Amino acid sequence: MVFWNETDIGLAVIGGALIGIATSLHYIVKGRVTGFSGILYSIVTYDLPSFFWKVSLMMGVMMASSIFYLAYGTEKAIIDGGTPAYDDLSILTQIGWGGAIIAGFCVGFGTKMGNGCTSGHGVCGLPRLAPRSIVAVSCFMGMGLLTASIKENFIPLEHPEPIDYDHEACAITTLILGFVIILIMAGFQYVKNKELLIDLVVGTLVGFIFGLGLAISGMVKRSKIIGFLAINERWDPTLIFVMVTPVVINFFAFRAKEKPYLNTKYEIPTNNVIDWKLVCGATIFGFGWGVGGFCPGPAFALFPQFTVHINILFMGTLVIGQLSANYFVKWVDERKKYDQIKPQQEQQSKEQQQKEQLPDISKQQLAETPSDRKNDAPDNTAKIN
């Protein structure tokens, strides 16, 4: 049996459209792909000068989600007839302590190795018909469906007692904190480089619209994501509409202009190689997604509904996973270069040893020039009297 709620489907389309508008706006105005895993990694590694607009984008997501959480919480539906806007804590914490750690690490490791998540490869990659994104989406969707189906149908769910907070206070704090951080960064940019202020404005706007899309579509609800990934008698198709709607919008929007309004060119990935890192990374991400039900964007949107499982364990291990993947890929690349250089070095060493083992007379002969040998040759011509 399929769980079909027409109100939720309608909200999924509206939310997906907002996600499409946000990513199209970012692409058309600044020429940028909105990939949350890459944005998070740049923030963690303090990648300048993009650090400030990327933080502002994340703050925009958190602020939008905070407003929606304060308005609806876990008991009210956005529209009558739909399911509650946010999951109850007991559903969020079903991920379990171990599940949060495993899921976070795999999501971080996989998205870094595979260079993207549902937003980068899915929402922004598929509309460009990027071969790498098509392969990546196939890998993480397939593994996510398989993992969640096995976990939800055959492995007993954990039911840890959620730590009770004043979540209304958490949402208010998140909203104020996001606003203050944006103001501080705007002041800093005003002093250092006024031209980059527009990046903060665009980033905040894109993040805010994207956050609204996540909240309205139900992507902040673990029950919706796992409900889609786990194939059982209560399968929930809502996520399909959340994914397809922005892809359709971006398919046309990404082709609307030859170059962005506020940039000289589109900053899109140029790597079209489908290698083991892409396939393995996307598959590992899919496994973590199937275990936890979250990827970086929705997890960030859940800061207003703060839980130790998602906002500390999952997000913390996600960052550790990204850093680990970066070091692992570097190690593999360096090892590959060494393996390519090693045979050349061994061949040169072998030739050097052969030269050193030549007898002295051979070395002397090699050192002599043809003219020397001609002069030293005996004169056997007959003398004519």
Side-chain angles (χ1 to χ4, degrees):
M1 181 179 177
V2 176
F3 177 77
W4 183 272
N5 186 304
E6 292 182 359
T7 303
D8 283 1
I9 297 297
L11 289 171
V13 173
I14 295 171
L18 288 172
I19 291 172
I21 291 170
T23 48
S24 291
L25 176 68
H26 205 195
Y27 190 82
I28 293 172
V29 175
K30 294 298 296 184
R32 292 168 179 159
V33 171
T34 311
F36 275 85
S37 60
I39 290 173
L40 177 60
Y41 183 78
S42 296
I43 292 174
V44 171
T45 55
Y46 193 58
D47 180 30
L48 290 174
S50 66
F51 175 83
F52 296 98
W53 73 257
K54 289 178 178 178
V55 171
S56 69
L57 189 149
M58 287 296 197
M59 293 302 105
V61 170
M62 291 166 55
M63 289 167 63
S65 183
S66 297
I67 292 172
F68 253 76
Y69 186 80
L70 289 170
Y72 298 101
T74 60
E75 297 180 357
K76 296 180 182 179
I78 297 173
I79 298 177
D80 291 340
T83 55
Y86 286 78
D87 279 336
D88 186 75
L89 286 182
S90 60
I91 298 176
L92 287 179
T93 55
Q94 279 182 357
I95 189 175
W97 304 106
I101 293 172
I102 294 171
F105 184 85
C106 289
V107 168
F109 194 97
T111 53
K112 180 57 183 172
M113 178 181 281
N115 293 117
C117 57
T118 53
S119 57
H121 279 311
V123 175
C124 297
L126 293 181
R128 294 184 290 108
L129 303 179
R132 283 174 57 88
S133 293
I134 294 172
V135 172
V137 171
S138 301
C139 290
F140 70 65
M141 287 295 291
M143 180 55 73
L145 288 165
L146 178 63
T147 304
S149 297
I150 294 173
K151 181 178 182 293
E152 296 297 312
N153 294 322
F154 300 105
I155 300 175
L157 296 175
E158 294 187 41
H159 296 280
E161 188 68 24
I163 301 174
D164 193 18
Y165 297 100
D166 183 350
H167 286 88
E168 184 175 341
C170 287
I172 293 173
T173 302
T174 302
L175 179 62
I176 295 173
L177 183 63
F179 185 71
V180 170
I181 289 175
I182 291 173
L183 285 180
I184 291 173
M185 291 191 302
F188 182 83
Q189 291 289 67
Y190 182 81
V191 174
K192 292 290 184 179
N193 191 343
K194 295 180 183 178
E195 294 180 358
L196 295 180
L197 273 175
I198 189 64
D199 279 2
L200 263 70
V201 175
V202 173
T204 303
L205 181 60
V206 168
F208 191 84
I209 298 173
F210 200 106
L212 290 178
L214 291 175
I216 293 172
S217 66
M219 284 292 288
V220 293
K221 295 193 288 186
R222 185 174 183 270
S223 61
K224 281 293 180 186
I225 302 169
I226 294 297
F228 168 77
L229 293 176
I231 306 299
N232 53 32
E233 69 278 1
R234 293 274 298 171
W235 183 68
D236 188 344
T238 306
L239 186 61
I240 294 177
F241 296 88
V242 183
M243 290 287 290
V244 170
T245 304
V247 169
V248 172
I249 291 174
N250 288 345
F251 180 83
F252 295 101
F254 283 10
R255 292 163 175 79
K257 284 182 61 61
E258 293 183 0
K259 68 175 185 177
Y261 285 105
L262 301 179
N263 204 342
T264 57
K265 62 179 182 178
Y266 288 108
E267 299 174 5
I268 59 176
T270 57
N271 182 13
N272 291 318
V273 178
I274 298 172
D275 55 9
W276 68 269
K277 289 182 285 188
L278 175 71
V279 174
C280 291
T283 303
I284 293 170
F285 162 49
F287 175 79
W289 192 34
V291 170
F294 289 112
C295 47
F300 241 89
L302 277 175
F303 267 98
Q305 193 183 12
F306 185 87
T307 60
V308 174
H309 297 75
I310 305 301
N311 302 112
I312 293 181
L313 292 180
F314 179 85
M315 291 300 297
T317 52
L318 190 154
V319 170
I320 293 172
Q322 285 191 324
L323 296 174
S324 300
N326 183 58
Y327 286 116
F328 175 74
V329 169
K330 282 185 177 180
W331 178 81
V332 171
D333 289 342
E334 290 175 359
R335 183 70 187 179
K336 185 177 180 181
K337 291 179 182 178
Y338 175 76
D339 290 342
Q340 292 175 345
I341 296 173
K342 187 177 179 180
Q344 299 176 3
Q345 294 176 336
E346 290 178 349
Q347 181 64 25
Q348 292 175 355
S349 177
K350 186 176 180 181
E351 292 175 355
Q352 183 65 27
Q353 290 177 359
Q354 290 175 347
K355 288 181 180 179
E356 293 176 353
Q357 292 173 359
L358 289 173
D360 293 340
I361 185 170
S362 298
K363 292 179 182 178
Q364 183 178 356
Q365 289 175 353
L366 289 172
E368 291 175 348
T369 63
S371 59
D372 293 334
R373 293 172 188 164
K374 184 177 181 180
N375 294 334
D376 292 342
D379 187 3
N380 294 328
T381 57
K383 293 181 180 181
I384 300 175
N385 294 326

